[in-house]
Amino acid sequence: MVQIIPTTFATTEEEYKERLAKLTHSSFSKDGWVQLDLMDNKFVPNKSIGLDVIKRNPPPFKMEAQLMVEDPGEWLEGLFEIRVDRIIFPVEIGKNIPEFINLIKSNNIEVGLSLNPESKLEQLDPFLGLLDAVLLMGVKPGLEQQEIDPVTFEKIRVLKGKIPTLKVGVDGGVKDTNIKQLIEAGVDYLAIGSYLFTGNFDENLEILWEVING
């Protein structure tokens, strides 16, 4: 069964706390996952909350940290302190990738790489055997409410064809009208922000589950 992971995409502490409140007061299972979107206004044109906000308001869920940053090394120690369960960072940083992967794994944390829509799958090839997950960006990272890039579906199929056991996720542009296509392509989990949090969270989540199970 495909997994849904809500994202706490937030540029202020107030936005973060609002999303966390919706999650904790909804029917969403406490055994589920949440994605922490962390941005440095360098790798992407947006700046998120910092780790201090998350430390003050820790989610009662398993945590996937998605680092949309130029230097993941500046964030890792803080994430180890928070005890996140998975760390994703962009393959496009192009340097120190094996070192970061090994450091994360040595702390008994799952590790994955993200890939932007315009980037070629071949950029992941040197690292696939080291990863627990790959997170395909369905949109240009840094902004919400974008339409999913159609290339995403083929990328899922190719990755799952190479390594069927690899956990493949998609982040960006996921909604009720394309979720079936993503599942048919072989996706394992979906990181969803604006679709879930615009309006009634529980109603939107139920719509997604109806499509998935329908």
Side-chain angles (χ1 to χ4, degrees):
M1 173 66 72
V2 69
Q3 183 184 25
I4 291 176
I5 301 183
T7 69
T8 59
F9 189 103
T11 57
T12 67
E13 185 167 1
E14 182 181 2
E15 287 177 335
Y16 171 78
K17 290 168 73 173
E18 284 177 1
R19 288 206 171 185
L20 201 57
K22 283 190 177 184
L23 275 173
T24 53
H25 293 99
S26 77
S27 61
F28 187 70
S29 171
K30 296 291 190 295
D31 297 325
W33 286 67
V34 66
Q35 186 192 83
L36 309 172
D37 281 313
L38 301 169
M39 303 170 281
D40 63 358
N41 203 29
K42 296 174 184 176
F43 183 76
V44 295
N46 211 339
K47 188 173 179 63
S48 70
I49 55 167
L51 297 183
D52 56 326
V53 173
I54 298 166
K55 289 178 181 178
R56 286 195 296 272
N57 308 276
F61 309 100
K62 292 182 178 180
M63 291 177 279
E64 173 181 277
Q66 186 192 2
L67 295 175
M68 291 178 280
V69 302
E70 280 190 349
D71 185 2
E74 295 178 353
W75 297 73
L76 293 183
E77 287 301 325
L79 291 171
F80 297 159
E81 290 177 17
I82 295 171
R83 293 308 304 166
V84 298
D85 299 274
R86 184 188 302 140
I87 297 175
I88 307 281
F89 64 94
V91 72
E92 290 86 3
I93 63 168
K95 58 184 179 180
N96 301 323
I97 292 176
E99 289 83 356
F100 291 144
I101 290 173
N102 290 331
L103 180 57
I104 293 167
K105 296 184 89 166
S106 70
N107 280 267
N108 297 312
I109 295 172
E110 289 185 21
V111 62
L113 289 173
S114 62
L115 186 79
N116 286 346
E118 70 276 10
S119 298
K120 302 297 184 183
L121 277 177
E122 289 73 21
Q123 288 181 245
L124 296 169
D125 285 346
F127 316 109
L128 286 179
L130 306 172
L131 303 176
D132 297 294
V134 166
L135 185 61
L136 297 172
M137 300 305 298
V139 302
K140 188 173 181 178
L143 297 171
E144 287 193 312
Q145 297 183 335
Q146 301 180 65
E147 292 297 318
I148 195 167
D149 192 316
V151 73
T152 309
F153 306 110
E154 181 59 21
K155 284 182 174 178
I156 299 169
R157 284 189 282 269
V158 172
L159 275 176
K160 295 300 285 188
K162 284 183 178 180
I163 308 179
T165 56
L166 181 68
K167 193 176 296 179
V168 177
V170 170
D171 181 8
V174 180
K175 51 188 176 182
D176 59 330
T177 54
N178 57 36
I179 199 169
K180 273 290 190 186
Q181 282 179 276
L182 291 164
I183 293 170
E184 288 167 0
V187 77
D188 295 293
Y189 75 96
L190 301 164
I192 307 177
S194 57
Y195 179 87
L196 280 175
F197 288 99
T198 302
N200 187 294
F201 179 91
D202 278 333
E203 288 181 4
N204 294 336
L205 184 62
E206 186 177 350
I207 289 170
L208 291 181
W209 282 123
E210 285 178 358
V211 175
I212 290 171
N213 297 318

